[in-house]
Amino acid sequence: MSQFAKKLRAILEKAGKVDGPTADALLAEAQANKQSLTEVCVKKGVATEQELLAMIARAANVPPIDLAKLSINKEVLESVPEDVAREYCIFPVDRIGNLITVAVANPFDVLKLDDIRIITGCQLRIVVSTSEEIEKIRGKGYQRETESVDGILGSFDDADVELKETEVEDDNADLSAISDEDSPIVKLVNKIILDGCNTGASDIHIEPFEKKVIIRYRKDGCLFEAMQLPKRMQNNITSRIKIMSKLDIAEKRKPQDGKFQMKIGHKAVDFRVSILPVVWGEKTVFRILDSSNLALDIKALGFEERCMEDFLWACAQPYGMILVTGPTGSGKSTTLYSAVKHIAAPDINLVTVEDPVEYQLEGINQVPVNPKAGLTFSGALRSILRQDPDVVLLGEIRDQETLEIAVKAALTGHQVLSTLHTNDAPSTITRMVDMGLDAFMVASSTLLICAQRLGRKLCSNCKKRVDMSKDALLRLGYLEQDLQQEAEFYEPVGCPRCNGGYKGRFALLETMRMTEPIKRLVVDRAHISDVKKQALAEGMLTLRRVGLLNAMRGKTSLQEIETSTMAD
């Protein structure tokens, strides 16, 4: 445990935010997920970022600072070398003569502060911020450093490229330390990736058009344009990415998938790459797989109490199938990884089959699908069942053969977790029957069906309270009893800290237990509307209902719920 974590724990206990056992649990989670204690406290709702800053500042007797509103001064940055700022987790804010104002995450480390005084040869004025905010602004501030796009384009020459395979860099190269000797195309690709990571994007899109190349980032589920590049750079960018991903540079007519890893700051980030031929060239999409953002504590996912109760009940069963459904990018993998981590124990043999293995979990046997080598989902599942498994995680059920093997495994003493692409929980039954499975097998094998979506959280810094009429709320789907409770509704505004009034996302989960009445309806081939009616009578919360409950608490906006869920 770091000295800062110990100090923060004492501050939180003194403020009455946590007791001893809770503090121990928070520290254990921070160490297990390699996260800072402040980040874990914010995720768990122990305190907001502003509250933590205020408590740390009060204890250290130094003022806090909001780095999101800071205007970066390049001359001030020269006072502290980038490697020093990264190593000591600091950021230079201002300089007057021989006095530098420095933002630090740990104002209690006197030895570290003395080192910085010696290195800079200046006196320090300390202000406090979080390590996450410091890391974010450091990535932006030292971007000379990754150079501006105009600067890179100015040094770009058509004759610079053709890229050769000998130019492949070490997979663990540090993106934030780009050498001046790098070619312009290497600098540009690195800048595109680094900017995407610094903005908190989940995906990077490089899209070729007739006269230009557009770079777009997906953040909190929404795409926004980041930059436009000249058409002449298109092939060079694609070739560079293919080299990094170990793909065939010469192949331009077929889709290709690959992956690579880069070190950004102090952490290694994995990138999954997909290249697709389109009308004006090859479109490239990066999926950013940052394991430090993976919340593996199932109770930290923020499900509704009823939904969490259903999910934990299903995870506790000795055999049967748990299905999580939803479109691509709806958080299904995170939910299943959390379930796996919850179930895993020394006396359980847990095996996963994934395409690809997105996050590596310690102590879990993970099998990557490789169709080129003949290792398919169904083939891997057959082999796994001869490996004496207790729990099997199938990344996805794609065909009838895989579904039949998974169902047979669930019926013969194994617990099976997997995903399907359907709109809601009840329609999953129809999907399984359409894939050729007998209705009796569906009813006998399935424990729980979940439907999941991701909703955007309102930014706590700028959200604006709004009054809603009773009639308008009833039309949206609220019940009379809901309106008897105290509720606060908010709408997005937008500020430097967020993306259009939203910051971060949360899971909306609809859970349907396969109870005896529902099983009888399935076996009798009842219409799906009858199945849904029975599930609702038993207390099932639909996606829209879960969203409305979160909007009542001020977690998200009614506009977001209307766009991310269907009316019941």
Side-chain angles (χ1 to χ4, degrees):
M1 188 194 309
S2 70
Q3 291 298 319
F4 179 63
K6 289 180 181 178
K7 185 69 178 177
L8 181 55
R9 172 187 175 151
I11 292 171
L12 290 169
E13 288 192 51
K14 185 177 180 181
K17 293 287 185 180
V18 295
D19 54 21
T22 304
D24 290 338
L26 291 171
L27 284 167
E29 182 174 336
Q31 289 173 340
N33 296 337
K34 297 179 180 178
Q35 295 176 308
S36 67
L37 183 55
T38 55
E39 190 175 355
V40 173
C41 287
V42 172
K43 281 185 179 180
K44 291 288 189 181
V46 173
T48 65
E49 190 176 285
Q50 291 78 11
E51 288 173 336
L52 286 172
L53 267 182
M55 286 188 282
I56 294 169
R58 197 179 302 116
N61 196 27
V62 296
I65 186 170
D66 185 354
L67 292 177
K69 297 179 180 178
L70 178 69
S71 296
I72 298 170
N73 186 327
K74 296 292 183 182
E75 293 180 6
V76 175
L77 292 184
E78 294 173 1
S79 306
V80 181
E82 184 183 3
D83 57 342
V84 173
R86 187 186 306 114
E87 177 68 26
Y88 289 93
C89 192
I90 64 170
F91 188 79
V93 173
D94 195 10
R95 179 170 182 171
I96 302 174
N98 202 38
L99 178 67
I100 302 176
T101 302
V102 178
V104 301
N106 179 6
F108 307 104
D109 193 337
V110 178
L111 296 177
K112 179 180 76 174
L113 298 177
D114 284 341
D115 287 347
I116 298 167
R117 286 189 185 95
I118 293 168
I119 293 169
T120 60
C122 296
Q123 294 300 309
L124 300 184
R125 177 176 179 265
I126 305 302
V127 292
V128 67
S129 183
T130 64
S131 56
E132 292 77 26
E133 288 297 317
I134 290 173
E135 188 170 322
K136 188 184 296 182
I137 196 169
R138 189 175 63 241
K140 294 177 183 176
Y142 284 96
Q143 264 181 21
R144 102 42 277 185
E145 267 76 322
T146 59
E147 290 193 28
S148 68
V149 173
D150 290 342
I152 294 171
L153 295 181
S155 61
F156 180 79
D157 184 346
D158 290 337
D160 277 351
V161 205
E162 286 295 331
L163 291 170
K164 306 298 180 186
E165 295 223 15
T166 53
E167 291 185 17
V168 179
E169 296 176 344
D170 178 13
D171 281 349
N172 291 315
D174 189 342
L175 268 184
S176 55
I178 300 173
S179 166
D180 289 332
E181 297 174 1
D182 287 335
S183 70
I185 202 66
V186 171
K187 290 181 181 179
L188 180 59
V189 172
N190 286 351
K191 177 173 174 55
I192 290 169
I193 296 171
L194 186 60
D195 283 358
C197 293
N198 286 337
T199 58
S202 59
D203 300 88
I204 302 172
H205 292 241
I206 303 176
E207 303 172 319
F209 292 95
E210 183 179 7
K211 296 180 180 179
K212 60 188 175 183
V213 177
I214 293 178
I215 312 298
R216 296 200 293 170
Y217 298 140
R218 184 180 295 279
K219 183 179 179 183
D220 293 338
C222 294
L223 276 170
F224 66 92
E225 185 176 311
M227 65 181 84
Q228 292 188 9
L229 301 174
K231 180 71 174 178
R232 62 195 175 96
M233 304 192 74
Q234 175 184 314
N235 292 336
N236 304 319
I237 291 172
T238 305
S239 296
R240 172 62 187 163
I241 293 166
K242 286 180 177 178
I243 287 172
M244 295 168 74
S245 310
K246 297 181 174 60
L247 300 177
D248 184 354
I249 298 177
E251 180 56 73
K252 298 183 179 181
R253 297 168 298 173
K254 295 179 181 177
Q256 295 190 70
D257 295 316
K259 61 182 179 180
F260 64 93
Q261 186 181 83
M262 283 289 185
K263 185 180 178 187
I264 298 178
H266 289 294
K267 59 188 178 185
V269 179
D270 293 299
F271 298 86
R272 194 174 76 207
V273 180
S274 174
I275 297 179
L276 178 71
V278 294
V279 173
W280 299 110
E282 293 175 284
K283 174 178 176 176
T284 302
V285 177
F286 296 86
R287 168 62 58 88
I288 301 173
L289 304 172
D290 186 355
S291 58
S292 67
N293 293 332
L294 186 67
L296 290 177
D297 182 356
I298 195 168
K299 294 180 180 177
L301 295 178
F303 297 154
E304 290 296 315
E305 186 177 341
R306 167 61 192 260
C307 301
M308 180 62 74
E309 183 183 313
D310 287 343
F311 204 80
L312 293 176
W313 167 83
C315 289
Q317 303 309 303
Y319 56 86
M321 189 156 59
I322 302 171
L323 293 172
V324 182
T325 73
T328 303
S330 60
K332 301 188 299 294
S333 295
T334 299
T335 298
L336 287 178
Y337 277 133
S338 300
V340 163
K341 198 69 176 176
H342 178 76
I343 294 168
D347 59 341
I348 289 178
N349 180 18
L350 203 158
V351 188
T352 76
V353 187
E354 303 170 63
D355 182 22
V357 174
E358 293 190 352
Y359 299 103
Q360 295 180 15
L361 305 178
E362 189 175 348
I364 308 294
N365 301 294
Q366 296 175 270
V367 179
V369 168
N370 188 351
K372 291 180 181 177
L375 182 60
T376 61
F377 272 109
S378 55
L381 184 53
R382 280 198 193 91
S383 298
I384 284 172
L385 294 178
R386 293 192 286 271
Q387 292 267 321
D388 184 33
D390 298 297
V391 181
V392 178
L393 166 62
L394 269 175
E396 186 181 346
I397 294 177
R398 295 181 177 176
D399 51 49
Q400 181 180 351
E401 184 182 13
T402 306
L403 177 60
E404 288 177 349
I405 300 169
V407 166
K408 287 175 183 174
L411 290 171
T412 53
H414 304 90
Q415 191 175 57
V416 179
L417 299 92
S418 192
T419 69
L420 271 174
H421 290 281
T422 59
N423 287 327
D424 60 10
S427 63
T428 305
I429 293 167
T430 305
R431 171 77 174 131
M432 293 168 76
V433 172
D434 287 346
M435 289 176 74
L437 196 65
D438 185 80
F440 172 76
M441 298 283 276
V442 174
S444 303
S445 62
T446 311
L447 289 168
L448 182 73
I449 301 174
C450 309
Q452 184 163 319
R453 298 290 187 279
L454 291 179
R456 292 183 293 168
K457 290 181 185 177
L458 283 167
C459 173
S460 59
N461 188 56
C462 66
K463 65 182 181 180
K464 177 184 175 184
R465 187 166 179 179
V466 61
D467 293 324
M468 298 290 296
S469 68
K470 181 178 179 181
D471 290 341
L473 293 174
L474 291 172
R475 281 196 300 272
L476 284 169
Y478 282 101
L479 306 177
E480 285 284 354
Q481 57 262 36
D482 295 334
L483 304 182
Q484 294 171 8
Q485 306 172 29
E486 285 190 20
E488 293 184 354
F489 296 96
Y490 293 86
E491 62 182 10
V493 177
C495 69
R497 288 189 176 186
C498 64
N499 183 25
Y502 296 96
K503 186 178 181 181
R505 291 191 288 177
F506 67 101
L508 302 168
L509 193 75
E510 170 182 303
T511 55
M512 185 178 80
R513 280 201 206 191
M514 292 295 284
T515 60
E516 287 303 320
I518 291 177
K519 287 181 180 180
R520 283 196 295 272
L521 288 171
V522 172
V523 172
D524 293 341
R525 295 183 176 273
H527 193 274
I528 199 65
S529 61
D530 295 328
V531 174
K532 184 174 182 178
K533 193 180 297 182
Q534 177 61 35
L536 290 170
E538 294 176 2
M540 180 183 82
L541 298 176
T542 64
L543 286 167
R544 172 58 68 92
R545 178 88 181 128
V546 171
L548 292 173
L549 292 174
N550 278 284
M552 284 181 71
R553 303 183 191 115
K555 191 172 187 178
T556 189
S557 68
L558 291 168
Q559 301 98 301
E560 174 67 10
I561 298 306
E562 285 189 279
T563 55
S564 60
T565 63
M566 292 282 286
D568 296 330

